[in-house]
Amino acid sequence: MKYSLNSLPLSNSFASLPGDFYTRVQPTPFELPASLIHFNTRAAGLLDLDPGVLHDPRFVEIFSGKQLLPGGDPLAMLYAGHQFGHYVPQLGDGRAIILAEATNGRSEKWELQLKGGGQTPYSRNADGRAVLRSTIREYLCSEAMHGLGIPTTHALCLVGSDDEVYREQIESGAILTRLAPSHVRFGSFEVFFYRNQQQPIRMLADYVIEHHYPELAGKPDRYLLMLQIIIERTARLIAQWQSVGFAHGVMNTDNMSILGLTLDYGPYGFMEAYDPGFVCNHSDHHGRYAFDQQPQIGLFNVSCLAQALLPIIDIEDAKAALETYQDIYTSYYHQFMAEKLGFEKADARVLELLAELLAQMQQSRADYTLLFRALGDIQRDSSARRQPISDMFIDRERFDHWIKNYRLHLRASSRNDTQRREAMMNVNPKYILRNYMAQLAIEKAGRDKDYSEIDRLMTVLSAPFDEHPGMSHYAEPPPDWAGNIQVSCSS
Ligand code: AMP
Ligand code: MG
């Protein structure tokens, strides 16, 4: 069964909560005509939405905020959050508007949210808009994360117009439609904790449990169990980010999903040359959100959530739950990295091999994605000393020595070369969203209204482990000019 715009079953469960949690608000359409930039057929499948809706003249009107979804009940959510370590008492959806919640044929619910749909009571002094550049970056990256098997929000479509939006320079406006089962953030709880309001914390927790963790309903310790699941999902999510070299860039608690999804793509970056201290956000002068800080920041963030839940859970229980974070994170991280090296389990020898490899990669600034992908071609019984990938290292003797040890341990494993190669090709992507790739797609879109590059990138990024003959230029090292791209919070 495929739905049309008329038959898509809509509700908005969040709107059934009292008004303390949100404000009902209508989107503000662009002044100039809007047109479709891209439609994500795969994401439409999450809603069981017929891809033919694209040709319905109302489609662009609805997803540019000009017409309401029939039966929708639009709202902007209230939240607060710790930004760069400091509590900011009132944030909220300043430019995001939830149009409705759609139920697909499997009874799964998805919130449809416009990002860039105009001002809301939470806009503070900002314009409620998003620019083409930042929406293309979110559009591509949410697909890339999904392709990598990492929990994320999804992007259904992107519409643009020639409306001018003022940032560091004049840019054109765009609206991204985002899908997630819920957009509730850690900061959605924090706002009531700091206002000393216990009742809304309990109501929101009950809402989250009823809709997203129904297996906990009715259990006496359900709030603690909810915290424990969120800790587990957050730790796992960050271990996945680390394993693919993803830096989020703005891990404020208002950007942390209570479902453990990657949420709010801003100045993110995939690491190219391996550097644990990689900072993707040029506005992050102290490197608070550097790549290697993310696991610790994850702990800080879940601690903020735990604190906000103190009115409804015991403090000692909360502390005990937080103490599990580090071990959960480490065991996922070790497991994912062992798999990247082609081993089934992370034993002590695997961890030694990993530490030495990462140290050499850092010394040589080896490309994180290309290196792990190439490791899959190593043959365990070969006596060839030099491998083509030795060229990625400055100290080749040191790397030759590593390969020797690697082979020794591979020989002790039960997988043969073919089995191991296949397993590695399924965890080490061939394609990653490099900044310069997004940049080229943004330039073509902005200058020529040519969206073909977005389309090609969507194809490779949605299946990044596949070979994609004819697309291999996307799997090459970045060009020299790519090093100069600067990404900041302005979006
Ligand atoms: P972010 O850093 O994108 O997660 O945004 C932090 C806060 O600023 C959120 O509450 C956003 O809704 C708000 N915000 C960011 N950009 C805008 C904008 N152009 N207009 C209104 N609010 C915005
Ligand atoms: Mg945000």
Side-chain angles (χ1 to χ4, degrees), residues 79 83 91-93 95 115 178 185 248 250 252-256 263-265:
Y79 50 83
Q83 297 195 315
L91 295 166
D93 289 330
R95 54 171 169 171
K115 189 166 175 181
R178 186 156 73 176
R185 302 135 195 273
H248 181 285
V250 202
N252 295 335
T253 55
D254 50 294
N255 292 335
M256 297 296 291
L263 173 66
D264 272 5
Y265 293 91

Side-chain angles (χ1 to χ4, degrees), residues 1 44 78 87 95 103 145 148 254 281 296 347 364 368:
M1 165 83 186
L78 167 73
Y87 182 68
R95 54 171 169 171
T103 308
M145 292 303 250
L148 290 165
D254 50 294
N281 176 358
Q296 283 312 310
D347 59 31
S364 299
Y368 189 79

Side-chain angles (χ1 to χ4, degrees), residues 45 137 371 429 432 478:
R137 282 175 52 84
L371 186 100
I432 205 87

